[in-house]
Amino acid sequence: CFQVEEGMSAPRKQAQSSPPEKGSFPLDHLGECKERLEKYMQCLKNNNNTSIRCREEQREYLSCRMDKELMGKDDMKNLGYFGNEQELRERDVADVATDAKEAFVPGLGLRRSDAPKDGKD
């Protein structure tokens, strides 16, 4: 029987780590893609962190990283870019407008479109 003496602790299990799915993603120590990163981050800030509205900036940033060998080269289609970023952005803006129109009215449990217009039943 194994006894733990006072002041000793049982050996701990080490956590298993796994490499990133797409390989390493080294930091941009020389700032080679800093301008594109800042443009992407500004876009996120301007769009309430809604990344779909910044897909073109994302694509440019990832392209820069691949061009500068800061990440493995891959086809943009494998990263979710199909050349329709502007269409997706326009569709997202329309979806947000529809969502706002169809949102629930607080306290009434009704969709905005079903709520009484003058506040009366």
Side-chain angles (χ1 to χ4, degrees):
C1 183
F2 178 75
Q3 289 184 327
V4 178
E5 292 185 27
E6 198 171 321
M8 292 181 62
S9 61
R12 295 179 182 221
K13 291 183 181 180
Q14 286 188 319
Q16 293 287 340
S17 63
S18 58
E21 202 173 296
K22 294 250 180 211
S24 65
F25 200 81
L27 297 176
D28 186 4
H29 292 291
L30 301 177
E32 296 175 275
C33 297
K34 184 177 181 179
E35 186 177 314
R36 290 190 179 131
L37 173 61
E38 288 173 348
K39 184 177 176 184
Y40 171 55
M41 298 305 289
Q42 187 63 46
C43 179
L44 286 174
K45 184 178 179 181
N46 293 342
N47 288 287
N48 200 28
N49 290 321
T50 306
S51 63
I52 189 103
R53 294 180 179 174
C54 301
R55 286 184 56 82
E56 184 61 29
E57 291 82 358
Q58 285 175 339
R59 189 190 61 72
E60 288 176 11
Y61 174 59
L62 292 173
S63 293
C64 178
R65 289 191 61 89
M66 285 189 273
D67 292 345
K68 304 293 183 180
E69 298 182 1
L70 293 168
M71 65 181 281
K73 292 220 182 250
D74 203 344
D75 191 306
M76 293 308 279
K77 289 181 181 179
N78 294 335
L79 299 175
Y81 297 92
F82 299 99
N84 61 346
E85 279 68 44
Q86 184 62 34
E87 176 189 332
L88 288 172
R89 187 180 299 197
E90 289 168 5
R91 190 180 323 149
D92 178 59
V93 169
D95 288 346
V96 168
T98 300
D99 290 347
K101 186 193 284 188
E102 290 300 314
F104 281 95
V105 178
L108 293 180
L110 299 171
R111 291 197 180 277
R112 192 171 306 277
S113 57
D114 297 335
K117 303 298 182 222
D118 60 0
K120 300 176 187 171
D121 287 352

